[in-house]
């Protein structure tokens, strides 16, 4: 083959990969955005019904987890959903672990988990579904198989972009968590999918998740941002270890009825006493923003207990069969933690710190420690706040949190591998 023919063939392949990445970006945005919209609608609707009849909470998680179990057993033939680990295996082990059924499986299971009160979010369900779209794109044309990793990363990056309207975070997420690939084509593929997803989301589905009013931060607060980062690292490890423990515990139960009934009852009890634990918890974060310092102090015990029980509620949800991950729980924990730390410092030391700033910084810090991806957390939370005013303190707290979390426990829920017990001879 002469040089000219080779260049023509290479050009066609590059064009083909970028077209496939753009197509992946479109489908990923539609999956992420529609899942976000319908989940939010039905979650709000069911929450209103719970306000009318509190005891409904003792039925809804049972309905949700039972339905998910039935779908897995009869529609998806008992095939387990391993979440982000499936995507990592596809990329790092070059294995075919993202077949077509992963798209509807994670889409519907994530939706059912959250709307019926499971204390997690749709982020991981979305990431696996959109990564599966990328994997499917790579199988449609023979030469695209070689570029599967590029298209899988394009899909998951586009999914995160659509969920949070955060293109830089989507791009960084694929590199920090999944692959360090540095080829120009890989980078171009991910950027193409992210930009397509961002444009679609921005013009057709955009809605601000939180109403933060961030306008200024004070340099004298820097030591306290470091303190928040340290505490966030501990909370991130607590969340990670809780998820791993309860997944292992529920996995040891051979009776599905016991797993479903026990898990749903525990979720119901936690949500009954702490309603903010219901679903993603974003409504709870928006409620915190409106609280006065006096109201925060008056409800401090309740806030502390919600902070303690959120990782347990999330872990039980995932262990009992719910579909989701640690993104939304990390944001929830971070917001509560930030408000508590700020209020305590102001009340006992008269520091006059800005509560909303600590909430936003706490969200990024806990997420950074939970997924060991500080730059994803930084740009994601800045996008959520629709404001880069806090970039420097968020950067500091997120890096501190990641270092602390990694020192305490050098794994995330994505990377931890349970030790294999040797069989006795």
């Amino acid at each position: 083959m002469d040089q000219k023919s080779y260049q023509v063939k290479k050009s066609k392949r590059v064009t083909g990969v970028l077209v496939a990445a753009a197509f992946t970006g479109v489908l990923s945005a539609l999956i992420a955005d529609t899942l976000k919209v319908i989940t939010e609608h039905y979650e709000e609707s069911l929450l209103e019904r719970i306000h009318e009849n509190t005891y409904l909470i003792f039925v809804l998680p049972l309905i949700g987890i039972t339905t998910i179990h039935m779908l897995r057993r009869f529609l998806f033939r008992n095939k387990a959903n391993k979440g982000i680990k499936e995507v990592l295996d596809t990329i790092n082990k070059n294995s075919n672990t993202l077949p077509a059924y992963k798209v509807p499986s994670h889409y519907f299971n994530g939706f059912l988990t959250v709307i019926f009160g499971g204390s997690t979010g749709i982020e991981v369900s979305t990431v696996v579904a959109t990564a599966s779209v990328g994997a499917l794109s790579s199988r449609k044309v023979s030469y695209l198989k070689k570029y599967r990793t590029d298209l899988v990363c394009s899909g998951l990056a586009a999914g995160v972009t659509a969920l949070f309207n955060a293109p830089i975070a989507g791009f960084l997420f694929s590199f920090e968590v999944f692959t360090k690939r540095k080829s120009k084509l890989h980078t171009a593929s991910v950027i193409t999918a992210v930009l397509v997803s961002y444009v679609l989301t921005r013009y057709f589905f955009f809605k601000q998740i939180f109403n933060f009013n961030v306008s200024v931060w004070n340099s004298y607060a820097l030591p306290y941002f470091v303190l928040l980062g340290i505490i966030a690292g501990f909370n991130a490890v607590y969340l990670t270890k809780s998820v791993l423990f309860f997944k292992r515990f529920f996995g040891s139960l051979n009776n599905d009825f016991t797993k479903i009934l026990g898990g749903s009852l525990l979720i119901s009890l936690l949500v009954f006493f702490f309603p903010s634990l219901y679903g993603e918890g974003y409504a709870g974060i928006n409620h915190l923003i409106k609280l006065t310092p006096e109201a925060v102090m008056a409800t401090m015990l309740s806030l502390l207990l919600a902070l303690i029980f959120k990782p347990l509620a999330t872990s039980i949800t995932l262990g009992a069969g719910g579909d989701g991950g640690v993104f939304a729980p990390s944001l929830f924990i971070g917001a509560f933690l930030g408000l508590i730390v700020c209020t305590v410092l102001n009340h006992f030391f008269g520091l006059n710190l800005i509560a909303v700033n600590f909430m936003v910084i706490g969200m990024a810090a806990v997420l950074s420690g939970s997924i060991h991806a500080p730059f994803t957390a930084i740009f994601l939370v800045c996008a959520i706040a629709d404001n880069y005013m806090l970039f420097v303190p968020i950067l500091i707290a997120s890096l501190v949190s990641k270092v602390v979390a990694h020192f305490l426990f050098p794994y995330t829920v994505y990377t931890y591998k349970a030790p294999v017990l040797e069989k006795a001879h």
Side-chain angles (χ1 to χ4, degrees):
M1 183 185 297
D2 58 35
Q3 185 67 21
K4 186 176 180 179
S5 298
Y6 172 77
Q7 290 297 334
V8 169
K9 185 176 180 181
K10 183 180 178 181
S11 177
K12 286 182 177 179
R13 289 202 168 194
V14 169
T15 302
V17 172
L18 295 181
V19 168
F23 180 69
T24 298
V26 171
L27 290 181
S28 297
L30 291 175
I31 287 170
D33 287 321
T34 56
L35 179 56
K36 178 172 61 177
V37 169
I38 65 170
T39 300
E40 183 181 298
H41 172 76
Y42 285 101
E43 184 181 8
E44 288 178 359
S45 176
L46 286 172
L47 270 171
E48 286 179 12
R49 297 198 177 194
I50 289 171
H51 290 149
E52 296 168 4
N53 183 357
T54 308
Y55 293 98
L56 263 179
I57 191 57
F58 288 99
V59 178
L60 295 179
L62 179 61
I63 294 173
I65 293 177
T66 301
T67 306
I68 290 168
H69 175 77
M70 299 298 282
L71 285 174
R72 282 183 180 154
R73 183 171 182 179
F74 297 108
L75 185 60
F76 302 117
R77 300 180 182 179
N78 251 352
K79 294 176 181 176
N81 282 338
K82 298 178 182 178
I84 295 293
K85 286 188 177 182
E86 295 172 295
V87 184
L88 288 168
D89 285 345
T90 297
I91 292 170
N92 299 326
K93 297 180 181 178
N94 201 30
S95 58
N96 291 304
T97 58
L98 293 173
Y101 82 87
K102 292 291 179 184
V103 178
S105 170
H106 283 279
Y107 189 99
F108 290 112
N109 289 347
F111 167 71
L112 292 168
T113 298
V114 173
I115 69 164
F116 284 111
S119 197
T120 184
I122 58 169
E123 296 80 18
V124 168
S125 304
T126 301
V127 165
V128 181
T130 55
S132 301
V133 169
L136 280 172
S137 299
S138 72
R139 293 199 284 269
K140 292 302 177 184
V141 181
S142 59
Y143 70 81
L144 288 179
K145 290 178 182 177
K146 181 181 176 182
Y147 304 98
R148 180 172 56 187
T149 294
D150 308 301
L151 295 175
V152 167
C153 288
S154 297
L156 63 91
V160 171
T161 296
L163 281 180
F164 297 103
N165 198 45
I168 300 176
F171 175 81
L172 290 172
F173 184 56
S174 72
F175 282 89
E176 280 193 294
V177 176
F178 294 94
T179 178
K180 303 296 188 289
R181 208 170 199 173
K182 295 180 181 179
S183 78
K184 292 179 182 177
L185 183 55
H186 178 80
T187 304
S189 302
V190 176
I191 290 174
T192 299
V194 162
L195 289 177
V196 169
S197 177
Y198 176 70
V199 170
L200 275 173
T201 301
R202 189 76 189 182
Y203 287 98
F204 295 104
F205 296 97
F206 177 70
K207 181 182 178 184
Q208 199 67 36
I209 304 173
F210 304 111
N211 300 307
F212 295 119
N213 183 19
V214 176
S215 57
V216 67
W217 65 276
N218 301 306
S219 57
Y220 72 81
L222 282 172
Y224 308 109
F225 298 147
V226 174
L227 174 64
L228 178 59
I230 293 169
I231 302 172
F234 278 88
N235 276 267
V237 172
Y238 171 43
L239 173 61
T240 299
K241 289 201 169 187
S242 294
V243 171
L244 295 173
F245 172 81
F246 279 99
K247 279 195 169 184
R248 187 164 59 248
F249 172 75
F250 280 99
S252 68
L253 300 177
N254 295 322
N255 190 311
D256 287 336
F257 178 77
T258 303
K259 184 187 299 186
I260 294 167
L261 187 62
S264 59
L265 179 60
L266 287 171
I267 294 166
S268 296
L269 285 169
L270 288 168
V271 176
F272 179 78
F273 289 107
F274 303 97
S276 61
L277 301 183
Y278 190 101
E280 292 175 313
Y282 292 163
I285 296 174
N286 277 319
H287 176 68
L288 290 186
I289 299 170
K290 302 171 186 176
L291 294 179
T292 63
E294 294 75 21
V296 176
M297 282 305 301
T299 58
M300 182 59 73
L301 179 59
S302 177
L303 295 177
L304 279 168
L305 290 174
L307 180 68
I308 292 168
F309 286 128
K310 179 63 176 183
L312 302 182
T314 297
S315 303
I316 293 165
T317 298
L318 299 178
D323 201 270
V326 298
F327 261 76
S330 295
L331 298 177
F332 180 96
I333 293 165
F336 274 67
L337 177 66
L339 181 62
I340 290 168
V341 169
C342 179
T343 304
V344 168
L345 289 172
N346 284 343
H347 183 79
F348 292 102
F349 302 98
L351 295 174
N352 200 30
L353 301 170
I354 303 170
V356 70
N357 289 3
F358 272 71
M359 288 178 63
V360 173
I361 296 164
M363 291 165 73
V366 175
L367 180 60
S368 171
S370 296
I371 64 175
H372 290 189
F375 293 101
T376 298
I378 292 163
F379 285 97
L380 188 144
V381 171
C382 284
I384 286 175
D386 200 21
N387 192 314
Y388 282 78
M389 174 67 69
L390 296 175
F391 184 84
V392 171
I394 286 175
L395 173 67
I396 292 169
S398 296
L399 290 174
V400 169
S401 175
K402 194 263 182 177
V403 170
V404 170
H406 190 271
F407 175 77
L408 294 172
F409 190 64
Y411 304 100
T412 67
V413 292
Y414 311 146
T415 60
Y416 180 77
K417 293 180 181 178
V420 179
L421 298 176
E422 294 183 7
K423 294 181 179 180
H425 293 289

